[in-house]
PDB file of all heavy atoms in Angstrom:
ATOM      1  N   PRO A  33     101.819  96.232 103.988  1.00 98.00           N
ATOM      2  CA  PRO A  33     102.580  94.982 103.880  1.00 98.00           C
ATOM      3  C   PRO A  33     103.804  95.006 104.800  1.00 98.00           C
ATOM      4  O   PRO A  33     104.531  95.994 104.850  1.00 98.00           O
ATOM      5  CB  PRO A  33     103.043  94.960 102.420  1.00 98.00           C
ATOM      6  CG  PRO A  33     102.406  96.137 101.748  1.00 98.00           C
ATOM      7  CD  PRO A  33     102.036  97.111 102.818  1.00 98.00           C
ATOM      8  N   PHE A  35     107.139  92.470 106.764  1.00 98.00           N
ATOM      9  CA  PHE A  35     107.974  91.268 106.634  1.00 98.00           C
ATOM     10  C   PHE A  35     108.450  90.803 108.014  1.00 98.00           C
ATOM     11  O   PHE A  35     109.030  91.584 108.752  1.00 98.00           O
ATOM     12  CB  PHE A  35     109.214  91.577 105.795  1.00 98.00           C
ATOM     13  CG  PHE A  35     108.882  92.085 104.416  1.00 98.00           C
ATOM     14  CD1 PHE A  35     108.798  93.452 104.153  1.00 98.00           C
ATOM     15  CD2 PHE A  35     108.631  91.198 103.371  1.00 98.00           C
ATOM     16  CE1 PHE A  35     108.477  93.922 102.873  1.00 98.00           C
ATOM     17  CE2 PHE A  35     108.319  91.649 102.102  1.00 98.00           C
ATOM     18  CZ  PHE A  35     108.235  93.018 101.850  1.00 98.00           C
ATOM     19  N   MET A  49     114.656  99.369  99.917  1.00 98.00           N
ATOM     20  CA  MET A  49     113.390  99.995 100.324  1.00 98.00           C
ATOM     21  C   MET A  49     113.601 100.805 101.612  1.00 98.00           C
ATOM     22  O   MET A  49     113.096 100.414 102.675  1.00 98.00           O
ATOM     23  CB  MET A  49     112.307  98.928 100.549  1.00 98.00           C
ATOM     24  CG  MET A  49     111.994  98.078  99.339  1.00 98.00           C
ATOM     25  SD  MET A  49     110.760  96.789  99.706  1.00 98.00           S
ATOM     26  CE  MET A  49     109.271  97.765  99.815  1.00 98.00           C
ATOM     27  N   PHE A  78     104.182  88.909 105.238  1.00 97.00           N
ATOM     28  CA  PHE A  78     105.079  88.042 104.477  1.00 97.00           C
ATOM     29  C   PHE A  78     106.084  87.434 105.444  1.00 97.00           C
ATOM     30  O   PHE A  78     106.599  88.129 106.330  1.00 97.00           O
ATOM     31  CB  PHE A  78     105.844  88.845 103.421  1.00 97.00           C
ATOM     32  CG  PHE A  78     104.961  89.421 102.352  1.00 97.00           C
ATOM     33  CD1 PHE A  78     104.511  90.723 102.429  1.00 97.00           C
ATOM     34  CD2 PHE A  78     104.577  88.652 101.266  1.00 97.00           C
ATOM     35  CE1 PHE A  78     103.685  91.257 101.448  1.00 97.00           C
ATOM     36  CE2 PHE A  78     103.755  89.165 100.279  1.00 97.00           C
ATOM     37  CZ  PHE A  78     103.307  90.469 100.366  1.00 97.00           C
ATOM     38  N   ASP A 117      99.918  86.531 102.873  1.00 97.00           N
ATOM     39  CA  ASP A 117     100.257  86.200 101.501  1.00 97.00           C
ATOM     40  C   ASP A 117     100.475  84.693 101.436  1.00 97.00           C
ATOM     41  O   ASP A 117     101.284  84.155 102.201  1.00 97.00           O
ATOM     42  CB  ASP A 117     101.541  86.947 101.115  1.00 97.00           C
ATOM     43  CG  ASP A 117     101.967  86.712  99.686  1.00 97.00           C
ATOM     44  OD1 ASP A 117     101.505  87.455  98.801  1.00 97.00           O
ATOM     45  OD2 ASP A 117     102.775  85.787  99.456  1.00 97.00           O
ATOM     46  N   VAL A 118      99.730  84.033 100.563  1.00 97.00           N
ATOM     47  CA  VAL A 118      99.892  82.585 100.421  1.00 97.00           C
ATOM     48  C   VAL A 118     100.654  82.313  99.136  1.00 97.00           C
ATOM     49  O   VAL A 118     100.141  82.528  98.037  1.00 97.00           O
ATOM     50  CB  VAL A 118      98.516  81.875 100.395  1.00 97.00           C
ATOM     51  CG1 VAL A 118      98.689  80.371 100.142  1.00 97.00           C
ATOM     52  CG2 VAL A 118      97.777  82.107 101.704  1.00 97.00           C
ATOM     53  N   CYS A 119     101.916  81.901  99.302  1.00 95.00           N
ATOM     54  CA  CYS A 119     102.762  81.620  98.135  1.00 95.00           C
ATOM     55  C   CYS A 119     103.931  80.785  98.616  1.00 95.00           C
ATOM     56  O   CYS A 119     104.207  80.710  99.813  1.00 95.00           O
ATOM     57  CB  CYS A 119     103.269  82.925  97.519  1.00 95.00           C
ATOM     58  SG  CYS A 119     104.031  82.661  95.893  1.00 95.00           S
ATOM     59  N   MET A 120     104.624  80.146  97.682  1.00 94.00           N
ATOM     60  CA  MET A 120     105.731  79.274  98.084  1.00 94.00           C
ATOM     61  C   MET A 120     107.099  79.932  97.916  1.00 94.00           C
ATOM     62  O   MET A 120     108.089  79.440  98.449  1.00 94.00           O
ATOM     63  CB  MET A 120     105.705  77.981  97.239  1.00 94.00           C
ATOM     64  CG  MET A 120     104.378  77.228  97.246  1.00 94.00           C
ATOM     65  SD  MET A 120     103.700  77.003  98.884  1.00 94.00           S
ATOM     66  CE  MET A 120     104.892  75.826  99.548  1.00 94.00           C
ATOM     67  N   CYS A 121     107.172  81.050  97.197  1.00 93.00           N
ATOM     68  CA  CYS A 121     108.496  81.523  96.747  1.00 93.00           C
ATOM     69  C   CYS A 121     109.440  81.920  97.877  1.00 93.00           C
ATOM     70  O   CYS A 121     110.650  81.810  97.739  1.00 93.00           O
ATOM     71  CB  CYS A 121     108.370  82.639  95.721  1.00 93.00           C
ATOM     72  SG  CYS A 121     107.634  84.142  96.367  1.00 93.00           S
ATOM     73  N   GLU A 122     108.904  82.365  99.009  1.00 94.00           N
ATOM     74  CA  GLU A 122     109.810  82.706 100.114  1.00 94.00           C
ATOM     75  C   GLU A 122     110.322  81.446 100.816  1.00 94.00           C
ATOM     76  O   GLU A 122     111.254  81.530 101.612  1.00 94.00           O
ATOM     77  CB  GLU A 122     109.091  83.571 101.164  1.00 94.00           C
ATOM     78  CG  GLU A 122     108.666  84.949 100.675  1.00 94.00           C
ATOM     79  CD  GLU A 122     107.150  85.024 100.534  1.00 94.00           C
ATOM     80  OE1 GLU A 122     106.665  84.493  99.499  1.00 94.00           O
ATOM     81  OE2 GLU A 122     106.464  85.571 101.398  1.00 94.00           O
ATOM     82  N   CYS A 129     107.382  79.886  92.765  1.00 93.00           N
ATOM     83  CA  CYS A 129     106.145  80.001  93.557  1.00 93.00           C
ATOM     84  C   CYS A 129     105.404  78.679  93.706  1.00 93.00           C
ATOM     85  O   CYS A 129     104.250  78.653  94.144  1.00 93.00           O
ATOM     86  CB  CYS A 129     105.239  81.057  92.949  1.00 93.00           C
ATOM     87  SG  CYS A 129     106.011  82.679  92.872  1.00 93.00           S
ATOM     88  N   SER A 164      99.093  84.482  96.052  1.00 96.00           N
ATOM     89  CA  SER A 164      99.782  85.326  95.068  1.00 96.00           C
ATOM     90  C   SER A 164     100.617  84.524  94.080  1.00 96.00           C
ATOM     91  O   SER A 164     101.415  85.056  93.348  1.00 96.00           O
ATOM     92  CB  SER A 164     100.700  86.311  95.795  1.00 96.00           C
ATOM     93  OG  SER A 164     101.790  85.642  96.382  1.00 96.00           O
ATOM     94  N   ASP A 165     100.412  83.198  94.083  1.00 94.00           N
ATOM     95  CA  ASP A 165     101.274  82.299  93.326  1.00 94.00           C
ATOM     96  C   ASP A 165     100.987  82.238  91.834  1.00 94.00           C
ATOM     97  O   ASP A 165     101.821  81.858  91.045  1.00 94.00           O
ATOM     98  CB  ASP A 165     101.051  80.892  93.893  1.00 94.00           C
ATOM     99  CG  ASP A 165      99.552  80.632  93.936  1.00 94.00           C
ATOM    100  OD1 ASP A 165      98.882  81.130  94.876  1.00 94.00           O
ATOM    101  OD2 ASP A 165      99.016  79.997  93.009  1.00 94.00           O
ATOM    102  N   TYR A 191      95.200  87.525  94.367  1.00 98.00           N
ATOM    103  CA  TYR A 191      96.071  88.277  93.464  1.00 98.00           C
ATOM    104  C   TYR A 191      95.723  87.727  92.068  1.00 98.00           C
ATOM    105  O   TYR A 191      96.468  86.936  91.503  1.00 98.00           O
ATOM    106  CB  TYR A 191      97.524  87.953  93.713  1.00 98.00           C
ATOM    107  CG  TYR A 191      98.231  88.486  94.944  1.00 98.00           C
ATOM    108  CD1 TYR A 191      97.936  88.014  96.216  1.00 98.00           C
ATOM    109  CD2 TYR A 191      99.273  89.415  94.812  1.00 98.00           C
ATOM    110  CE1 TYR A 191      98.661  88.465  97.325  1.00 98.00           C
ATOM    111  CE2 TYR A 191      99.992  89.860  95.917  1.00 98.00           C
ATOM    112  CZ  TYR A 191      99.678  89.383  97.170  1.00 98.00           C
ATOM    113  OH  TYR A 191     100.405  89.815  98.244  1.00 98.00           O
ATOM    114  N   LYS A 194      97.950  89.433  88.250  1.00 97.00           N
ATOM    115  CA  LYS A 194      99.314  89.704  88.685  1.00 97.00           C
ATOM    116  C   LYS A 194     100.261  89.554  87.509  1.00 97.00           C
ATOM    117  O   LYS A 194     100.429  88.466  86.965  1.00 97.00           O
ATOM    118  CB  LYS A 194      99.697  88.734  89.808  1.00 97.00           C
ATOM    119  CG  LYS A 194     101.116  88.914  90.302  1.00 97.00           C
ATOM    120  CD  LYS A 194     101.380  88.059  91.520  1.00 97.00           C
ATOM    121  CE  LYS A 194     102.821  88.208  91.975  1.00 97.00           C
ATOM    122  NZ  LYS A 194     103.116  87.366  93.133  1.00 97.00           N
ATOM    123  N   TYR A 195     100.832  90.675  87.127  1.00 98.00           N
ATOM    124  CA  TYR A 195     101.720  90.674  85.968  1.00 98.00           C
ATOM    125  C   TYR A 195     103.136  90.271  86.367  1.00 98.00           C
ATOM    126  O   TYR A 195     103.570  90.522  87.488  1.00 98.00           O
ATOM    127  CB  TYR A 195     101.739  92.069  85.329  1.00 98.00           C
ATOM    128  CG  TYR A 195     100.461  92.363  84.562  1.00 98.00           C
ATOM    129  CD1 TYR A 195      99.373  92.951  85.189  1.00 98.00           C
ATOM    130  CD2 TYR A 195     100.339  91.987  83.227  1.00 98.00           C
ATOM    131  CE1 TYR A 195      98.189  93.182  84.500  1.00 98.00           C
ATOM    132  CE2 TYR A 195      99.157  92.213  82.525  1.00 98.00           C
ATOM    133  CZ  TYR A 195      98.094  92.808  83.167  1.00 98.00           C
ATOM    134  OH  TYR A 195      96.933  93.025  82.473  1.00 98.00           O
ATOM    135  N   SER A 197     106.435  91.280  86.568  1.00 97.00           N
ATOM    136  CA  SER A 197     106.836  92.684  86.548  1.00 97.00           C
ATOM    137  C   SER A 197     108.187  92.931  87.187  1.00 97.00           C
ATOM    138  O   SER A 197     108.519  92.349  88.231  1.00 97.00           O
ATOM    139  CB  SER A 197     105.770  93.497  87.312  1.00 97.00           C
ATOM    140  OG  SER A 197     106.220  94.807  87.555  1.00 97.00           O
ATOM    141  N   PHE A 199     108.825  95.589  88.556  1.00 97.00           N
ATOM    142  CA  PHE A 199     108.542  96.435  89.709  1.00 97.00           C
ATOM    143  C   PHE A 199     108.585  95.656  91.037  1.00 97.00           C
ATOM    144  O   PHE A 199     108.461  96.242  92.089  1.00 97.00           O
ATOM    145  CB  PHE A 199     107.180  97.129  89.554  1.00 97.00           C
ATOM    146  CG  PHE A 199     107.217  98.290  88.600  1.00 97.00           C
ATOM    147  CD1 PHE A 199     106.898  98.120  87.260  1.00 97.00           C
ATOM    148  CD2 PHE A 199     107.567  99.565  89.032  1.00 97.00           C
ATOM    149  CE1 PHE A 199     106.936  99.188  86.369  1.00 97.00           C
ATOM    150  CE2 PHE A 199     107.614 100.636  88.146  1.00 97.00           C
ATOM    151  CZ  PHE A 199     107.294 100.451  86.817  1.00 97.00           C
ATOM    152  N   TYR A 200     108.714  94.310  90.971  1.00 96.00           N
ATOM    153  CA  TYR A 200     108.818  93.535  92.208  1.00 96.00           C
ATOM    154  C   TYR A 200     110.260  93.388  92.690  1.00 96.00           C
ATOM    155  O   TYR A 200     110.510  92.739  93.694  1.00 96.00           O
ATOM    156  CB  TYR A 200     108.244  92.099  92.045  1.00 96.00           C
ATOM    157  CG  TYR A 200     106.873  91.993  91.446  1.00 96.00           C
ATOM    158  CD1 TYR A 200     106.505  90.875  90.699  1.00 96.00           C
ATOM    159  CD2 TYR A 200     105.931  93.003  91.620  1.00 96.00           C
ATOM    160  CE1 TYR A 200     105.240  90.767  90.140  1.00 96.00           C
ATOM    161  CE2 TYR A 200     104.666  92.904  91.052  1.00 96.00           C
ATOM    162  CZ  TYR A 200     104.338  91.783  90.301  1.00 96.00           C
ATOM    163  OH  TYR A 200     103.101  91.677  89.746  1.00 96.00           O
ATOM    164  N   GLY A 201     111.215  93.961  91.944  1.00 95.00           N
ATOM    165  CA  GLY A 201     112.636  93.780  92.262  1.00 95.00           C
ATOM    166  C   GLY A 201     112.972  93.978  93.729  1.00 95.00           C
ATOM    167  O   GLY A 201     113.548  93.074  94.381  1.00 95.00           O
ATOM    168  N   PRO A 202     112.655  95.145  94.310  1.00 96.00           N
ATOM    169  CA  PRO A 202     113.038  95.377  95.713  1.00 96.00           C
ATOM    170  C   PRO A 202     112.388  94.386  96.682  1.00 96.00           C
ATOM    171  O   PRO A 202     113.016  93.987  97.663  1.00 96.00           O
ATOM    172  CB  PRO A 202     112.539  96.815  95.978  1.00 96.00           C
ATOM    173  CG  PRO A 202     112.468  97.443  94.633  1.00 96.00           C
ATOM    174  CD  PRO A 202     112.087  96.345  93.680  1.00 96.00           C
ATOM    175  N   PHE A 203     111.162  93.949  96.390  1.00 94.00           N
ATOM    176  CA  PHE A 203     110.502  92.953  97.255  1.00 94.00           C
ATOM    177  C   PHE A 203     111.321  91.674  97.318  1.00 94.00           C
ATOM    178  O   PHE A 203     111.437  91.046  98.372  1.00 94.00           O
ATOM    179  CB  PHE A 203     109.100  92.634  96.719  1.00 94.00           C
ATOM    180  CG  PHE A 203     108.408  91.507  97.428  1.00 94.00           C
ATOM    181  CD1 PHE A 203     107.521  91.772  98.454  1.00 94.00           C
ATOM    182  CD2 PHE A 203     108.627  90.171  97.079  1.00 94.00           C
ATOM    183  CE1 PHE A 203     106.869  90.731  99.123  1.00 94.00           C
ATOM    184  CE2 PHE A 203     107.995  89.131  97.733  1.00 94.00           C
ATOM    185  CZ  PHE A 203     107.108  89.409  98.750  1.00 94.00           C
ATOM    186  N   ARG A 204     111.868  91.290  96.196  1.00 90.00           N
ATOM    187  CA  ARG A 204     112.603  90.018  96.185  1.00 90.00           C
ATOM    188  C   ARG A 204     113.880  90.122  97.024  1.00 90.00           C
ATOM    189  O   ARG A 204     114.330  89.131  97.594  1.00 90.00           O
ATOM    190  CB  ARG A 204     112.860  89.572  94.753  1.00 90.00           C
ATOM    191  CG  ARG A 204     111.544  89.193  94.089  1.00 90.00           C
ATOM    192  CD  ARG A 204     111.674  88.747  92.654  1.00 90.00           C
ATOM    193  NE  ARG A 204     110.347  88.616  92.057  1.00 90.00           N
ATOM    194  CZ  ARG A 204     110.133  88.440  90.762  1.00 90.00           C
ATOM    195  NH1 ARG A 204     111.158  88.350  89.938  1.00 90.00           N
ATOM    196  NH2 ARG A 204     108.897  88.335  90.303  1.00 90.00           N
ATOM    197  N   SER A 209     113.475  86.181  97.803  1.00 88.00           N
ATOM    198  CA  SER A 209     112.636  85.230  97.074  1.00 88.00           C
ATOM    199  C   SER A 209     112.831  85.272  95.559  1.00 88.00           C
ATOM    200  O   SER A 209     111.961  84.857  94.811  1.00 88.00           O
ATOM    201  CB  SER A 209     111.162  85.516  97.395  1.00 88.00           C
ATOM    202  OG  SER A 209     110.794  86.777  96.877  1.00 88.00           O
ATOM    203  N   PRO A 211     113.840  84.028  92.005  1.00 92.00           N
ATOM    204  CA  PRO A 211     114.010  82.654  91.520  1.00 92.00           C
ATOM    205  C   PRO A 211     115.472  82.363  91.215  1.00 92.00           C
ATOM    206  O   PRO A 211     116.181  83.212  90.684  1.00 92.00           O
ATOM    207  CB  PRO A 211     113.153  82.623  90.240  1.00 92.00           C
ATOM    208  CG  PRO A 211     112.854  84.036  89.883  1.00 92.00           C
ATOM    209  CD  PRO A 211     113.032  84.870  91.116  1.00 92.00           C
ATOM    210  N   ARG A 216     109.413  84.195  86.235  1.00 93.00           N
ATOM    211  CA  ARG A 216     108.073  83.749  86.632  1.00 93.00           C
ATOM    212  C   ARG A 216     107.068  83.835  85.469  1.00 93.00           C
ATOM    213  O   ARG A 216     105.871  83.848  85.686  1.00 93.00           O
ATOM    214  CB  ARG A 216     107.575  84.596  87.790  1.00 93.00           C
ATOM    215  CG  ARG A 216     108.451  84.608  89.015  1.00 93.00           C
ATOM    216  CD  ARG A 216     107.639  84.852  90.261  1.00 93.00           C
ATOM    217  NE  ARG A 216     108.376  85.315  91.415  1.00 93.00           N
ATOM    218  CZ  ARG A 216     109.244  84.599  92.122  1.00 93.00           C
ATOM    219  NH1 ARG A 216     109.507  83.347  91.778  1.00 93.00           N
ATOM    220  NH2 ARG A 216     109.849  85.117  93.168  1.00 93.00           N
ATOM    221  N   GLN A 220     103.091  84.053  85.954  1.00 95.00           N
ATOM    222  CA  GLN A 220     102.582  85.427  86.054  1.00 95.00           C
ATOM    223  C   GLN A 220     102.274  85.959  84.651  1.00 95.00           C
ATOM    224  O   GLN A 220     102.756  85.448  83.646  1.00 95.00           O
ATOM    225  CB  GLN A 220     103.615  86.313  86.764  1.00 95.00           C
ATOM    226  CG  GLN A 220     103.877  85.835  88.193  1.00 95.00           C
ATOM    227  CD  GLN A 220     104.858  86.709  88.949  1.00 95.00           C
ATOM    228  OE1 GLN A 220     105.488  87.600  88.386  1.00 95.00           O
ATOM    229  NE2 GLN A 220     105.001  86.443  90.239  1.00 95.00           N
ATOM    230  N   LYS A 247      97.816  94.004  90.269  1.00 98.00           N
ATOM    231  CA  LYS A 247      99.168  94.266  90.745  1.00 98.00           C
ATOM    232  C   LYS A 247     100.151  94.220  89.586  1.00 98.00           C
ATOM    233  O   LYS A 247     100.035  93.282  88.776  1.00 98.00           O
ATOM    234  CB  LYS A 247      99.508  93.178  91.777  1.00 98.00           C
ATOM    235  CG  LYS A 247     100.882  93.201  92.338  1.00 98.00           C
ATOM    236  CD  LYS A 247     101.072  92.004  93.232  1.00 98.00           C
ATOM    237  CE  LYS A 247     102.535  91.924  93.555  1.00 98.00           C
ATOM    238  NZ  LYS A 247     102.956  90.686  94.066  1.00 98.00           N
ATOM    239  N   TYR A 270      97.695  96.669  94.441  1.00 98.00           N
ATOM    240  CA  TYR A 270      98.936  96.599  95.208  1.00 98.00           C
ATOM    241  C   TYR A 270      99.955  97.523  94.553  1.00 98.00           C
ATOM    242  O   TYR A 270     100.432  97.252  93.455  1.00 98.00           O
ATOM    243  CB  TYR A 270      99.447  95.155  95.203  1.00 98.00           C
ATOM    244  CG  TYR A 270     100.490  94.807  96.257  1.00 98.00           C
ATOM    245  CD1 TYR A 270     100.526  93.529  96.802  1.00 98.00           C
ATOM    246  CD2 TYR A 270     101.433  95.738  96.702  1.00 98.00           C
ATOM    247  CE1 TYR A 270     101.472  93.179  97.771  1.00 98.00           C
ATOM    248  CE2 TYR A 270     102.377  95.396  97.660  1.00 98.00           C
ATOM    249  CZ  TYR A 270     102.393  94.118  98.189  1.00 98.00           C
ATOM    250  OH  TYR A 270     103.341  93.765  99.130  1.00 98.00           O
ATOM    251  N   SER A 271     100.239  98.608  95.237  1.00 98.00           N
ATOM    252  CA  SER A 271     101.301  99.493  94.778  1.00 98.00           C
ATOM    253  C   SER A 271     102.607  98.891  95.283  1.00 98.00           C
ATOM    254  O   SER A 271     102.921  98.967  96.464  1.00 98.00           O
ATOM    255  CB  SER A 271     101.076 100.897  95.349  1.00 98.00           C
ATOM    256  OG  SER A 271     102.046 101.769  94.835  1.00 98.00           O
ATOM    257  N   VAL A 272     103.352  98.262  94.388  1.00 98.00           N
ATOM    258  CA  VAL A 272     104.386  97.312  94.810  1.00 98.00           C
ATOM    259  C   VAL A 272     105.707  97.987  95.181  1.00 98.00           C
ATOM    260  O   VAL A 272     105.869  99.214  95.065  1.00 98.00           O
ATOM    261  CB  VAL A 272     104.616  96.224  93.732  1.00 98.00           C
ATOM    262  CG1 VAL A 272     103.338  95.438  93.498  1.00 98.00           C
ATOM    263  CG2 VAL A 272     105.136  96.844  92.441  1.00 98.00           C
ATOM    264  N   SER A 273     106.650  97.134  95.569  1.00 98.00           N
ATOM    265  CA  SER A 273     107.929  97.606  96.107  1.00 98.00           C
ATOM    266  C   SER A 273     108.637  98.591  95.166  1.00 98.00           C
ATOM    267  O   SER A 273     109.141  99.619  95.621  1.00 98.00           O
ATOM    268  CB  SER A 273     108.834  96.410  96.387  1.00 98.00           C
ATOM    269  OG  SER A 273     108.959  95.585  95.245  1.00 98.00           O
ATOM    270  N   GLY A 274     108.664  98.288  93.876  1.00 98.00           N
ATOM    271  CA  GLY A 274     109.371  99.178  92.940  1.00 98.00           C
ATOM    272  C   GLY A 274     108.739 100.556  92.850  1.00 98.00           C
ATOM    273  O   GLY A 274     109.438 101.563  92.667  1.00 98.00           O
ATOM    274  N   TYR A 312     103.260 100.390 100.821  1.00 98.00           N
ATOM    275  CA  TYR A 312     104.290 100.552 101.856  1.00 98.00           C
ATOM    276  C   TYR A 312     104.214 101.947 102.472  1.00 98.00           C
ATOM    277  O   TYR A 312     104.871 102.229 103.464  1.00 98.00           O
ATOM    278  CB  TYR A 312     105.672 100.261 101.254  1.00 98.00           C
ATOM    279  CG  TYR A 312     105.758  98.844 100.730  1.00 98.00           C
ATOM    280  CD1 TYR A 312     105.554  98.554  99.383  1.00 98.00           C
ATOM    281  CD2 TYR A 312     105.993  97.774 101.595  1.00 98.00           C
ATOM    282  CE1 TYR A 312     105.582  97.261  98.901  1.00 98.00           C
ATOM    283  CE2 TYR A 312     106.036  96.476 101.134  1.00 98.00           C
ATOM    284  CZ  TYR A 312     105.824  96.215  99.778  1.00 98.00           C
ATOM    285  OH  TYR A 312     105.844  94.923  99.324  1.00 98.00           O
TER     286      TYR A 312
HETATM  287  C1  PBG B   1     105.013  86.487  96.260  1.00 81.91           C
HETATM  288  C2  PBG B   1     104.807  87.945  96.111  1.00 81.91           C
HETATM  289  C3  PBG B   1     105.575  88.900  95.415  1.00 81.91           C
HETATM  290  C4  PBG B   1     105.014  90.147  95.714  1.00 81.91           C
HETATM  291  C5  PBG B   1     103.909  89.918  96.524  1.00 81.91           C
HETATM  292  N1  PBG B   1     103.791  88.543  96.746  1.00 81.91           N
HETATM  293  C6  PBG B   1     106.796  88.739  94.606  1.00 81.91           C
HETATM  294  C7  PBG B   1     106.771  88.067  93.313  1.00 81.91           C
HETATM  295  O1  PBG B   1     105.740  87.638  92.818  1.00 81.91           O
HETATM  296  O2  PBG B   1     107.857  87.936  92.772  1.00 81.91           O
HETATM  297  C8  PBG B   1     105.539  91.461  95.241  1.00 81.91           C
HETATM  298  C9  PBG B   1     105.249  92.610  96.153  1.00 81.91           C
HETATM  299  C10 PBG B   1     106.061  93.833  95.908  1.00 81.91           C
HETATM  300  O3  PBG B   1     106.864  93.943  94.968  1.00 81.91           O
HETATM  301  O4  PBG B   1     105.905  94.760  96.713  1.00 81.91           O
HETATM  302  N2  PBG B   1     104.812  85.734  95.146  1.00 81.91           N
END
Side-chain angles (χ1 to χ4, degrees):
F35 302 93
M49 301 177 74
F78 295 96
D117 182 88
V118 175
C119 192
M120 306 312 291
C121 65
E122 295 109 281
C129 301
S164 70
D165 50 281
Y191 287 70
K194 178 173 178 181
Y195 286 90
S197 168
F199 283 93
Y200 310 150
F203 173 95
R204 292 180 189 169
S209 66
R216 303 208 199 290
Q220 298 182 351
K247 177 185 169 197
Y270 197 148
S271 184
V272 299
S273 54
Y312 299 97

